[in-house]
Amino acid sequence: MRELYENYRPLLFSIAYQMMGSVSDAEDAVQDVFVKLADRDLAQLKEPKSYLCKMVSNRCLDMLKSTQRQREQYFGPWLPEPFETSAEDTAETVVRGELLSYAMLVLLERLSPLERAVFILREALGFEYPDIAELVEKTEVYCRKLFSRARAKMGFDPEMPIQPEAADEEWVHRFLSALEQGSMDSVLSLLSKDVVITSDGGGKASAAVHPIVSPIFVARFALGVYRKFSAADGDIQIEHVSLNGQPGIVFRSQEGVEGAMLLHVEGDRIRDLFVVRNPDKLQHL
């Protein structure tokens, strides 16, 4: 059992986290799988990887059904829970290469649970369609249709490959530098004409209740957030941190993390900014 846990936990966590968008829910799903596995005769487990992936996928599908109503009633926009991937002592660092960008995780919220499972297994983890069909207990043809439907819902051209979307370290530095200067023009020069900023406070921290669109309003909001944190008499530290396997920004006080920000770049401009303020989603940072 211990060997199975050590070998497959990173993969199972990767599936569960991207299915659920929550570190704690993903950990619960993986734990549930291994608890159930304790009642099995491991000697009869001929293909443990396939079996475990199927178990965790099914468990997440069940969990998503029960949380769907909660998310529909959520106060303001719902964003996935970011987690730090730079610490050497966390098992999550192992799965960085298997994680979709944060912007992609946000788009996954448009999908049904089954579409989400098929998309993650195919796009993030590179499973072949016959294997996906076995894992989700659907036909291969239907899984192909689900994947195509998921791409369409997420706004991807069916003929074009999906490109990485995470901003690199240079973009994070450029954006923070523009905010530090306090120059509206400098910030605007980095933003796409279609830029959107989405903030998640969950009704527990100050955040915009609706996504903010247009460069001028996004720039004002971003500058306002930065000024608020930088004016806190040095009590707030602004840190560069690896979040979800990509460069991110964390605002940290003596009481804990006050917020996290991730960027998405398209066409050499910032297309999306995601700000998480809900304290429940910052506990793992």
Side-chain angles (χ1 to χ4, degrees):
M1 175 70 78
R2 182 179 181 83
E3 184 178 356
L4 284 176
Y5 183 84
E6 292 177 350
N7 288 341
Y8 293 108
R9 185 198 178 279
L11 173 61
L12 300 183
F13 177 86
S14 179
I15 294 172
Y17 169 72
Q18 292 175 105
M19 284 283 290
M20 302 304 302
S22 163
V23 174
S24 55
D25 286 345
E27 290 174 341
D28 288 345
V30 174
Q31 186 66 28
D32 289 346
V33 165
F34 282 99
V35 168
K36 290 182 179 179
L37 198 63
D39 298 328
R40 288 293 309 272
D41 182 358
L42 299 183
Q44 297 181 358
L45 208 58
K46 296 180 180 180
E47 297 184 10
K49 178 181 177 180
S50 178
Y51 183 80
L52 291 171
C53 288
K54 183 174 183 176
M55 287 185 70
V56 79
S57 297
N58 287 337
R59 178 65 186 126
C60 288
L61 287 171
D62 289 340
M63 293 172 71
L64 281 173
K65 292 175 184 176
S66 64
T67 61
Q68 193 167 8
R69 185 173 182 181
Q70 296 176 9
R71 294 188 183 183
E72 291 173 352
Q73 297 176 341
Y74 193 80
F75 185 83
W78 189 97
L79 289 176
E81 178 182 324
F83 71 97
E84 191 168 352
T85 50
S86 59
E88 294 294 334
D89 59 348
T90 59
E92 287 77 17
T93 57
V94 181
V95 303
R96 274 180 287 184
E98 299 171 332
L99 285 174
L100 297 170
S101 70
Y102 190 83
M104 292 276 279
L105 293 181
V106 175
L107 290 177
L108 289 179
E109 290 302 305
R110 301 179 182 180
L111 309 182
S112 70
L114 191 55
E115 290 168 345
R116 187 169 182 140
V118 170
F119 186 88
I120 291 166
L121 291 170
R122 179 65 178 169
E123 188 64 32
L125 301 168
F127 279 67
E128 298 297 331
Y129 282 110
D131 297 323
I132 296 174
E134 182 180 349
L135 293 179
V136 300
E137 299 180 334
K138 302 295 180 182
T139 67
E140 183 179 340
V141 171
Y142 187 55
C143 287
R144 290 180 182 274
K145 288 182 179 179
L146 285 172
F147 183 74
S148 178
R149 189 188 305 164
R151 286 179 59 110
K153 285 185 177 181
M154 296 169 74
F156 295 117
D157 188 317
E159 303 301 324
M160 298 294 291
I162 297 175
Q163 300 295 328
E165 300 167 329
D168 60 20
E169 191 70 36
E170 180 183 354
W171 264 107
V172 174
H173 279 286
R174 289 173 65 186
F175 184 63
L176 279 179
S177 177
L179 293 178
E180 187 177 358
Q181 293 172 25
S183 167
M184 176 69 73
D185 289 339
S186 295
V187 176
L188 286 172
S189 69
L190 303 177
L191 303 180
S192 162
K193 65 178 182 179
D194 300 318
V195 67
V196 179
I197 187 166
T198 307
S199 56
D200 177 348
K204 299 183 178 182
S206 61
V209 179
H210 302 287
I212 298 172
V213 298
S214 99
I216 188 68
F217 292 121
V218 168
R220 286 175 180 172
F221 184 87
L223 284 166
V225 170
Y226 186 85
R227 287 168 183 156
K228 174 184 176 180
F229 285 130
S230 59
D233 298 325
D235 293 336
I236 303 290
Q237 300 296 320
I238 301 174
E239 306 174 356
H240 293 245
V241 177
S242 178
L243 301 174
N244 294 60
Q246 66 188 74
I249 303 165
V250 165
F251 303 92
R252 193 185 305 272
S253 70
Q254 293 183 346
E255 286 72 32
V257 176
E258 302 291 334
M261 179 184 293
L262 295 101
L263 313 180
H264 160 213
V265 174
E266 274 184 11
D268 201 33
R269 289 289 187 274
I270 296 174
R271 174 64 176 79
D272 291 285
L273 295 97
F274 304 106
V275 181
V276 180
R277 301 266 355 258
N278 186 340
D280 296 340
K281 296 186 178 184
L282 301 172
Q283 296 177 6
H284 294 275
L285 300 182

